[in-house]
Amino acid sequence: MEVFYFKLYSGDDIIAELVDEDKSFVYIAQPFRFIYTENSRGRLSASLTQWIPIDGVMVKTITLSKDDIVIGSVVDSTVKEHYTYLVGERVVVTSKLDDTSESKHKK
């Protein structure tokens, strides 16, 4: 599974499985949006929530125009592990990922 981060011109930061791509489009599945907050100590944390709030659409391949993407990159192994856990558990509620938490999850 290839997991990518995309910064969109809309301002959204998303993480998703890259299914395929061609000259004009990327095809993604299970997109989650980053929500950033600052805690009481001034540290930035990120939460992941479904980018599309409809479960039935989240499991289908979504077409994203390359014209809407500012930047795209493969994520590191820690973020990929957290994302894979969320997708595997089919989490609908927001799950927290911040710079102080460990992303090792046991089933």
Side-chain angles (χ1 to χ4, degrees):
M1 172 189 310
E2 283 189 284
V3 180
F4 268 69
Y5 160 82
F6 297 99
K7 173 71 172 180
L8 306 180
Y9 280 107
S10 68
D12 284 345
D13 293 310
I14 63 172
I15 184 172
E17 178 185 352
L18 180 65
V19 176
D20 199 4
E21 69 177 300
D22 60 29
K23 182 178 167 186
S24 302
F25 300 98
V26 293
Y27 304 93
I28 61 173
Q30 301 286 347
F32 283 80
R33 179 171 57 103
F34 286 89
I35 299 173
Y36 303 102
T37 55
E38 191 174 321
N39 67 20
S40 61
R41 296 177 296 189
R43 296 182 83 178
L44 187 65
S45 66
S47 298
L48 294 174
T49 189
Q50 287 184 192
W51 188 44
I52 299 173
I54 303 166
D55 288 338
V57 177
M58 282 287 290
V59 297
K60 296 181 181 179
T61 300
I62 297 163
T63 304
L64 187 61
S65 172
K66 287 186 175 180
D67 292 337
D68 294 328
I69 300 170
V70 176
I71 191 169
S73 177
V74 175
V75 299
D76 69 26
S77 60
T78 301
V79 175
K80 181 179 179 177
E81 182 181 322
H82 186 73
Y83 170 83
T84 303
Y85 174 78
L86 288 176
V87 170
E89 294 296 316
R90 301 200 191 279
V91 172
V92 177
V93 297
T94 301
S95 176
K96 210 95 159 126
L97 172 66
D98 65 33
D99 56 325
T100 61
S101 68
E102 292 187 24
S103 63
K104 294 180 180 172
H105 303 283
K106 296 178 182 174
K107 288 190 174 186

